[in-house]
């Protein structure tokens, strides 16, 4: 994901629209319009402006992974033997479906990833056979999340 350094100005109406849709992206535009006191067309126009500015980057359905049997969330710090191996390591990490996020970091690790597995045995298999077999990975450090206590977007 690329971030723009350009800051945009949003007013109170934009914020109300964004809050309503962040709470429920399927909320009808006309319902939001009635609550705010402007027309549905005005909301559509404002949403187009916010999308073209890059503030809104899309909408998506959120799947509950537990229903599919995924119960083990982990964060893994990956040490690379050479920083120049980063692009190839990331390319290979993209091929591992359990990898949800990948961050280039400062500090001890070269890369920090977030992965989701069915259980600890699945996690061990992904670590041993997929991640640690990537060329250039010298070692990993794994932190298993016991409970996600905060899950939110930036507030507007």
């Amino acid at each position: 994901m690329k971030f723009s350094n350009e800051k945009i100005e949003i007013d109170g109406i934009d914020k109300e629209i964004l809050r309503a849709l962040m709470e429920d992206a399927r909320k009808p535009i006309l319902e939001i319009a009635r609550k705010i006191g402007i027309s549905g067309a005005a909301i559509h126009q404002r949403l187009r402006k916010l999308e073209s500015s890059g503030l809104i980057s899309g909408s998506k359905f959120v799947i509950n992974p537990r229903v599919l049997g995924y119960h083990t969330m982990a964060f893994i710090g990956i040490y690379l033997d050479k920083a120049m191996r980063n692009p190839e390591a990331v390319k290979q990490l993209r091929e591992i479906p359990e990898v949800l996020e990948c961050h280039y970091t400062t500090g001890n690790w070269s890369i920090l990833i977030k992965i989701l597995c069915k259980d600890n045995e699945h996690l061990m298999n992904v670590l041993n056979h997929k991640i640690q077999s990537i060329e250039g990975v010298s070692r990993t450090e794994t932190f298993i999340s016991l409970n996600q206590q905060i899950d939110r977007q930036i507030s507007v």
Side-chain angles (χ1 to χ4, degrees):
M1 178 181 295
K2 297 203 183 214
F3 298 97
S4 170
N5 288 332
E6 238 178 85
K7 184 178 178 216
I8 67 157
E9 296 297 323
I10 57 175
D11 62 18
I13 293 173
D14 289 335
K15 288 179 182 181
E16 284 190 62
I17 295 167
L18 288 169
R19 284 186 200 117
L21 292 172
M22 287 169 68
E23 181 182 308
D24 179 5
R26 295 190 297 178
K27 187 173 284 187
I29 296 298
L30 289 177
E31 183 181 320
I32 298 168
R34 274 192 297 277
K35 181 179 176 220
I36 296 173
I38 62 174
S39 71
I43 290 192
H44 281 290
Q45 185 178 29
R46 284 172 174 267
L47 286 172
R48 278 195 299 277
K49 175 192 82 168
L50 295 170
E51 285 173 1
S52 65
S53 75
L55 179 65
I56 297 175
S57 62
S59 60
K60 58 186 172 185
F61 286 100
V62 178
I63 300 211
N64 180 350
R66 291 186 165 279
V67 174
L68 296 174
Y70 288 84
H71 299 278
T72 300
M73 175 78 65
F75 297 88
I76 302 171
I78 300 175
Y79 296 83
L80 297 176
D81 60 6
K82 295 178 185 143
M84 62 187 252
R85 292 201 192 262
N86 183 285
E88 184 58 33
V90 171
K91 184 178 174 187
Q92 291 181 54
L93 287 166
R94 280 186 205 282
E95 301 301 315
I96 303 171
E98 293 86 354
V99 175
L100 304 180
E101 295 179 18
C102 178
H103 301 267
Y104 185 51
T105 64
T106 61
N108 292 330
W109 313 306
S110 305
I111 299 170
L112 177 68
I113 62 171
K114 176 181 173 181
I115 71 170
L116 185 59
C117 296
K118 293 191 174 202
D119 52 32
N120 287 353
E121 187 176 339
H122 182 198
L123 170 61
M124 188 173 72
N125 185 44
V126 170
L127 267 170
N128 292 339
H129 301 294
K130 294 181 180 179
I131 295 170
Q132 291 173 343
S133 66
I134 294 172
E135 189 173 344
V137 171
S138 59
R139 65 188 178 103
T140 60
E141 192 171 350
T142 303
F143 302 89
I144 295 175
S145 172
L146 300 176
N147 183 20
Q148 181 176 358
Q149 297 180 310
I150 298 173
D151 181 17
R152 64 179 172 209
Q153 294 190 67
I154 194 78
S155 62
V156 292

